């Protein structure tokens, strides 16, 4: 009995250490490094807010947004330099690359999805703001922007979406995106929610058909949830959707779904008692989550069990993250005004994020 009791104590101690300490995928000597602090511009809404990290599969470079400054930024892994890739940028939020190497962005200002070229530009009239009292007014005339196409016009059944938040490209090149409703200062004054639910949508591979992938999105207590982070397994057979708020011990919950023919989602499971803003996976079966827990950092969860295996402290509260670099062995983290990185002993599970 004593040996069993001691074994239980050891197991409990190991579990506590795994939850509070670094995950086994990060070396004990590894340091989280701040690569950049985003400046507050005259047109920044409140404070800079970094989000939307994703990896360019062609170069390993990492793209992310400062949403409150209406910018998409690019971190060159070769030069270790940060540059403004696109401004204005439709107040883009979550982003991903598709199988053809095109940057897909949740252009929050008009609830759209954009497909953005990383190597072609065009001169266009300075985009007209929905709320002229907010943001950069520009200098008039034209501005040179990356070429982009609106691939989803911001409406479902003729009504405005709540605001696409995070997006994931599947192997068949269909897109799933989460659509909560959080009021934005850059929206037109007096706007109200028009959809009857906050849920997940699917845009077909040919970009012609928008459907509700889930009729509704409820948390385990039966209440309407706000879907946020979204990511799929590398084989495209499982989709993970996080409720950023809810009854889970991590300040929310994350559900997994089987992906069937024509993208139909089924077999909903409560996968983890952690919600998340952005999420990413490594190639050893772990999920990295921006969970709204009491401490600031990245919660690392076993995909097989849904249990926490470690925690990476970050000085500011993370919103999104992606494995970047040519070999995908560096984890890049967007956290409030900052952009951070930490080396890992693993690689990203996907080519893009």
């Amino acid at each position: 009995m004593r040996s069993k009791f001691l074994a239980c104590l050891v197991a409990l101690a190991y579990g506590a250490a795994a939850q509070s300490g670094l995950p086994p995928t990060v070396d004990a000597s590894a340091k989280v490094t701040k690569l950049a602090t985003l400046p507050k511009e005259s047109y920044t809404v409140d404070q800079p807010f970094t989000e939307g990290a994703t990896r360019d599969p062609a170069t390993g470079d990492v793209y992310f947004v400062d949403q409150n400054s209406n910018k998409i930024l690019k971190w060159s892994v070769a030069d270790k330099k940060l540059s403004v890739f696109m401004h204005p940028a439709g107040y883009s939020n979550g982003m991903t690359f598709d199988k053809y190497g095109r940057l897909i962005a949740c252009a929050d200002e008009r609830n759209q999805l954009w497909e953005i070229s990383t190597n072609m530009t065009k001169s266009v009239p300075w985009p007209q703001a929905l709320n002229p009292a907010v943001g950069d007014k520009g200098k008039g005339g034209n501005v040179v922007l990356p070429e982009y196409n609106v691939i989803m016009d911001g409406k479902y059944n003729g009504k405005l979406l709540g605001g696409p938040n995070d997006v994931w490209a599947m192997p068949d090149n269909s897109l799933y995106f989460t659509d909560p409703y959080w009021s934005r200062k850059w929206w037109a004054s007096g706007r109200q929610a028009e959809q009857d639910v906050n849920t997940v949508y699917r845009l077909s591979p040919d970009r012609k058909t928008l459907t509700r992938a889930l009729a509704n999105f409820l948390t385990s207590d039966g209440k309407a949830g706000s879907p946020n982070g979204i990511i799929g397994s590398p084989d495209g057979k499982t989709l993970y959707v996080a409720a950023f708020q809810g009854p889970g011990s991590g300040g929310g919950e994350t559900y997994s779904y089987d992906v069937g023919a024509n993208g139909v989602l089924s077999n909903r499971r409560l996968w983890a008692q952690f919600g998340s803003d952005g999420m990413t996976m490594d190639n050893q079966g772990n999920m990295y989550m921006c969970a709204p827990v009491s401490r600031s950092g990245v919660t690392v969860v076993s995909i097989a069990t849904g249990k926490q295996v470690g925690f990476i402290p970050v000085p500011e509260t993370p919103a999104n993250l992606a494995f970047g670099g040519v070999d995908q062995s560096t984890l890049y983290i967007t956290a409030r005004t900052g952009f951070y990185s930490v080396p890992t002993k693993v690689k990203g599970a996907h080519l893009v994020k």
Side-chain angles (χ1 to χ4, degrees):
M1 290 293 293
R2 179 185 170 114
S3 62
K4 289 183 179 179
F5 176 70
L6 289 175
C8 288
L9 286 179
V10 170
L12 287 170
Y14 175 80
Q19 290 184 13
S20 61
L22 290 171
T25 59
V26 176
D27 192 88
S29 63
K31 303 294 184 184
V32 174
T33 301
K34 191 171 194 178
L35 303 175
T37 298
L38 277 296
K40 181 175 181 178
E41 312 284 5
S42 60
Y43 50 81
T44 302
V45 178
D46 300 324
Q47 297 293 326
F49 185 78
T50 57
E51 242 279 17
T54 187
R55 172 186 179 269
D56 184 343
T59 63
D61 295 336
V62 177
Y63 290 73
F64 66 98
V65 307
D66 172 359
Q67 186 176 32
N68 289 355
S69 298
N70 201 7
K71 295 176 182 177
I72 299 175
L73 301 115
K74 172 186 171 183
W75 175 259
S76 169
V77 296
D79 301 332
K80 294 181 171 56
K81 291 183 179 179
L82 185 66
S83 60
V84 176
F85 170 71
M86 188 175 191
H87 171 72
Y91 288 95
S92 290
N93 194 343
M95 301 193 298
T96 192
F97 276 87
D98 70 10
K99 65 185 294 182
Y100 300 110
R102 297 171 297 205
L103 181 62
I104 307 297
C106 294
D108 181 270
E109 184 176 24
R110 288 176 168 80
N111 313 306
Q112 298 169 339
L113 293 184
W114 288 1
E115 176 187 277
I116 307 172
S117 170
T118 60
N119 53 28
M120 302 289 289
T121 60
K122 63 179 177 181
S123 179
V124 298
W126 188 275
Q128 184 176 358
L130 280 180
N131 185 347
V134 172
D136 189 354
K137 309 301 186 296
K139 298 178 181 179
N142 284 15
V143 60
V144 176
L145 296 176
E147 284 193 359
Y148 69 94
N149 297 309
V150 177
I151 58 174
M152 191 281 296
D153 68 1
K155 294 182 179 180
Y156 176 73
N157 283 349
K159 297 180 180 180
L160 282 174
L161 292 167
N165 185 278
D166 200 6
V167 58
W168 183 250
M170 299 295 278
D172 68 354
N173 217 40
S174 61
L175 300 173
Y176 288 89
F177 64 90
T178 55
D179 187 55
Y181 177 85
W182 290 318
S183 182
R184 306 296 197 184
K185 292 183 178 180
W186 45 81
W187 286 349
S189 178
R191 178 181 153 181
Q192 301 293 320
E194 296 186 16
Q195 297 295 329
D196 57 342
V197 295
N198 299 324
T199 191
V200 177
Y201 291 81
R202 178 181 184 267
L203 186 63
S204 60
D206 62 7
R207 310 294 193 248
K208 294 181 179 180
T209 305
L210 180 67
T211 55
R212 278 186 178 168
L214 298 172
N216 54 42
F217 184 72
L218 303 178
T219 51
S220 61
D221 57 2
K223 296 180 180 179
S226 290
N228 198 314
I230 189 168
I231 194 170
S233 60
D235 62 8
K237 295 180 179 180
T238 307
L239 189 72
Y240 299 85
V241 182
F244 192 63
Q245 299 165 326
S249 59
E253 300 170 327
T254 299
Y255 290 86
S256 61
Y257 301 83
D258 293 339
V259 182
N262 297 318
V264 174
L265 302 182
S266 64
N267 192 22
R268 163 185 157 113
R269 285 100 60 198
L270 176 58
W271 171 72
Q273 293 283 345
F274 296 92
S276 190
D277 206 335
M279 300 185 286
T280 195
M281 296 179 185
D282 69 25
N283 65 350
Q284 298 300 311
N286 300 292
M287 188 86 78
Y288 296 71
M289 307 178 72
C290 299
V293 294
S294 58
R295 292 184 298 155
S296 174
V298 175
T299 301
V300 185
V301 177
S302 164
I303 294 172
T305 66
K307 303 297 183 183
Q308 185 177 354
V309 297
F311 186 83
I312 305 171
V314 180
E316 299 177 86
T317 302
N320 217 315
L321 66 181
F323 283 95
V326 175
D327 64 356
Q328 294 197 79
S329 63
T330 300
L331 185 65
Y332 291 89
I333 305 164
T334 58
R336 297 307 185 261
T337 65
F339 180 58
Y340 297 82
S341 72
V342 61
T344 71
K345 298 189 288 184
V346 294
K347 300 180 186 296
H350 303 92
L351 286 176
V352 295
K353 191 173 182 180

